[in-house]
Amino acid sequence: MVKINLFVDREINLLTVFYQSSKEQSKFEDLNLKFGNLDKNERKNIKEILKNRENIALEIDKYSKIREIYNLNMTAWLEYWIKNEGKITEIKNYLENKLKNFDMACFKKACDFFDFELIKEIDICICMGNNGQFGTGNTFNSSICTLFPRKFENYTEKTLESDFAVMIHEIVHTFQKEIYSKEEREFIEAVTRAFAPRGILINREKCDKGSLEELMIPIIDKAILEGKTYFDVREELIEVYNKHK
């Protein structure tokens, strides 16, 4: 069974704020950071840093642009971190308690479907700063994800319930290996949403009627029941996707 470790980390949080901001995935209006836009290659460099996060300072030094913006923003970030570290720790603890009551065995369904051996351990960095209406995350490789809870400074139990489901969505991405990078982004995101945040693994009853996810779920359910994989039903899923566009 997969072991999921939630943690908070100041350096990883800042790096992934840069990453998310450059892709316009979250809103960080309260942070007042200065770094401009990172290009695709610089975002790739951040991914490389996170692969070797045990020596993160040395990894940052390998990339001059990343080190430059990191140093430029560290004072402001430290102030924000000190002010809000208790809050992000509370969020992490809440999500950890949710995990204790979650059926971890269900992840095997997703692994089998994507034809991927179940990962033994996944680290998820819970990050602060997002003041948007939606929780977001990133999967950087098969062993580390990030989660940016929505309305960070005014979170509620209701918002955290939704963020927990987003976290399950990011975990599913870790089982997709190179599938995610090879497929059209919107298509593979729809397939993943059929598992979570409203789908096969969690909140199935909340799946929107007539949504693409609702149409994909029976195809995936049937494939799992028959021992088939994503590759066996990919064309059928693509057909549903194209008709729904």
Side-chain angles (χ1 to χ4, degrees):
M1 187 177 298
V2 63
K3 179 182 179 183
I4 299 172
N5 307 308
L6 305 189
F7 70 102
V8 297
D9 183 277
R10 187 181 67 195
E11 282 70 31
I12 290 176
N13 197 157
L14 181 55
L15 288 172
T16 51
V17 165
F18 296 154
Y19 186 92
Q20 286 245 333
S21 296
S22 67
K23 297 188 75 174
E24 298 183 347
Q25 288 184 300
S26 297
K27 292 185 178 180
F28 301 104
E29 295 166 352
D30 296 339
L31 298 189
N32 196 30
L33 300 179
K34 302 174 182 178
F35 61 91
N37 292 322
L38 300 180
D39 60 27
K40 185 176 181 180
N41 187 58
E42 287 156 351
R43 290 197 296 269
K44 182 180 178 181
N45 291 341
I46 289 176
K47 289 183 178 182
E48 290 300 315
I49 291 169
L50 295 180
K51 284 182 182 178
N52 300 291
R53 59 191 183 279
E54 294 80 7
N55 299 302
I56 199 163
L58 294 175
E59 292 298 316
I60 292 172
D61 284 339
K62 293 180 180 179
Y63 307 100
S64 58
K65 177 67 178 294
I66 304 299
R67 171 52 74 183
E68 178 185 346
I69 62 172
Y70 182 87
N71 290 343
L72 179 65
N73 290 284
M74 181 48 70
T75 299
W77 177 247
L78 277 173
E79 292 177 0
Y80 187 82
W81 181 269
I82 291 169
K83 178 182 176 182
N84 292 290
E85 186 177 6
K87 190 174 295 183
I88 198 63
T89 300
E90 289 174 3
I91 291 174
K92 178 188 77 74
N93 292 342
Y94 180 91
L95 296 175
E96 279 180 334
N97 285 330
K98 286 281 294 180
L99 272 175
K100 290 177 183 177
N101 297 312
F102 187 75
D103 180 13
M104 307 289 261
C106 75
F107 287 126
K108 190 175 186 305
K109 290 182 180 179
C111 276
D112 289 346
F113 180 70
F114 292 108
D115 195 24
F116 188 44
E117 185 176 347
L118 189 63
I119 299 169
K120 292 183 179 179
E121 201 162 354
I122 300 171
D123 294 333
I124 302 178
C125 185
I126 311 301
C127 299
M128 64 173 74
N130 175 25
N131 54 22
Q133 296 292 319
F134 302 99
T136 59
N138 290 105
T139 301
F140 291 101
N141 54 56
S142 61
S143 63
I144 182 168
C145 307
T146 59
L147 177 72
F148 282 85
R150 69 201 70 200
K151 298 181 180 179
F152 168 69
E153 295 188 4
N154 296 287
Y155 71 88
T156 65
E157 184 171 340
K158 183 178 179 180
T159 65
L160 291 183
E161 289 287 324
S162 297
D163 290 324
F164 180 81
V166 171
M167 186 172 73
I168 302 303
H169 174 95
E170 292 303 322
I171 291 170
V172 174
H173 277 315
T174 67
F175 307 143
Q176 293 169 344
K177 300 180 290 182
E178 73 280 357
I179 292 172
Y180 184 80
S181 59
K182 289 183 177 180
E183 295 288 13
E184 179 185 344
R185 171 72 181 272
E186 292 304 316
F187 167 68
I188 196 61
E189 281 293 344
V191 174
T192 310
R193 288 196 304 271
F195 285 91
R198 297 178 180 183
I200 294 168
L201 301 188
I202 189 171
N203 295 331
R204 185 191 285 251
E205 72 285 356
K206 295 180 181 180
C207 188
D208 294 331
K209 297 297 181 184
S211 66
L212 185 53
E213 298 78 56
E214 186 187 45
L215 297 174
M216 287 183 168
I217 285 172
I219 299 171
I220 298 172
D221 273 339
K222 186 172 183 288
I224 292 172
L225 186 63
E226 296 176 352
K228 294 181 178 179
T229 71
Y230 167 80
F231 303 100
D232 296 317
V233 297
R234 176 179 177 273
E235 293 304 317
E236 190 175 356
L237 291 170
I238 289 175
E239 183 178 355
V240 169
Y241 173 74
N242 288 333
K243 285 181 178 179
H244 194 269
K245 285 199 295 186

